[in-house]
Amino acid sequence: MRAISGLWRWRRNPLRRGTDLAEAWVGLVALVLILVAGPVIGAFTGGAAQDALQRSARAQRESRELVTATVVRKLNRSPLDADPETSSGRDLRSRVLADWTAPDGTTHEGKVLAELQSPHRGDRFSIWTDLHGRIAARPLDSATATTHAVLAGTGAALLTAGLIEGGRRFAVWRMVRRRYDRWDQAWDRAGPDWGRTGTGS
């Protein structure tokens, strides 16, 4: 926006300084870079993240299986578990001892969190395991991977725009500081004679 509002600096004007024109050019270059480089870097970053995340999601889907576990018995709540009166829907899970058969045919038994409010012996529920039956997290799904990739691309584009704007502000700050230094030097030269009659004659 500063580049657009600074278009007046290109007009011919006897009061226009060289630094005014330089500031206008810096603003225009920054605007063009934000409009071009930001989206390009964002698209490149998002595309790279999409490829990596989709590969990871495929690998997770290939190495994990949803198996059915059977409750052996309910376990006592851990003291660190959330208070059931204040817990949200995602906290309404129970710690149970369960057994399950792995994709490779081996049987396993262990403590797991079951999405059952009041589990009883023999209740069945689903859990994710690796191919050897060890408990694993739910695999990353394609839609979530795409969402993360879009966020990564957007973040990269915004970061690029921020860096360019920061560079523009720093360049303008340096130009203003040099202008002030030149004014100070000119004032130091003219200061001793300022206001005297016949100065410069």
Side-chain angles (χ1 to χ4, degrees):
M1 293 309 295
R2 285 182 179 271
I4 295 171
S5 65
L7 288 175
W8 66 270
R9 296 173 192 263
W10 277 296
R11 295 182 309 179
R12 292 204 175 275
N13 186 326
L15 299 177
R16 185 186 71 187
R17 298 164 297 197
T19 54
D20 291 332
L21 190 58
E23 285 180 33
W25 277 109
V26 167
L28 179 64
V29 169
L31 179 64
V32 170
L33 284 175
I34 287 172
L35 294 177
V36 174
V40 168
I41 291 174
F44 178 79
T45 304
Q50 172 78 340
D51 291 343
L53 289 169
Q54 291 297 345
R55 279 197 305 273
S56 177
R58 282 193 299 274
Q60 288 180 14
R61 285 194 299 270
E62 291 170 1
S63 65
R64 298 177 191 177
E65 292 283 341
L66 190 63
V67 300
T68 300
T70 304
V71 175
V72 175
R73 66 182 167 87
K74 182 178 180 179
L75 299 174
N76 293 329
R77 293 183 66 86
S78 165
L80 300 177
D81 286 346
D83 181 358
E85 294 182 6
T86 61
S87 61
S88 63
R90 64 181 176 82
D91 295 324
L92 295 178
R93 297 183 294 179
S94 304
R95 293 178 69 242
V96 299
L97 182 67
D99 58 25
W100 62 91
T101 302
D104 63 3
T106 58
T107 58
H108 297 266
E109 183 175 279
K111 299 174 183 178
V112 296
L113 284 174
E115 294 184 355
L116 301 169
Q117 292 186 23
S118 55
H120 300 286
R121 181 179 179 83
D123 286 350
R124 299 167 75 83
F125 61 97
S126 297
I127 58 171
W128 286 96
T129 70
D130 64 13
L131 299 179
H132 301 292
R134 292 184 293 265
I135 299 293
R138 177 191 300 271
L140 183 67
D141 62 86
S142 181
T144 303
T146 299
T147 300
H148 289 318
V150 168
L151 291 174
T154 303
L158 292 175
L159 180 61
T160 301
L163 290 174
I164 292 170
E165 174 61 11
R168 183 199 69 80
R169 286 175 182 259
F170 179 75
V172 170
W173 176 80
R174 291 285 299 165
M175 283 188 274
V176 170
R177 291 302 312 159
R178 288 179 59 195
R179 182 189 308 153
Y180 288 161
D181 290 342
R182 285 197 298 270
W183 284 351
D184 288 342
Q185 292 168 5
W187 182 255
D188 288 341
R189 286 193 301 270
D193 295 329
W194 182 256
R196 293 184 184 173
T197 306
T199 298
S201 57

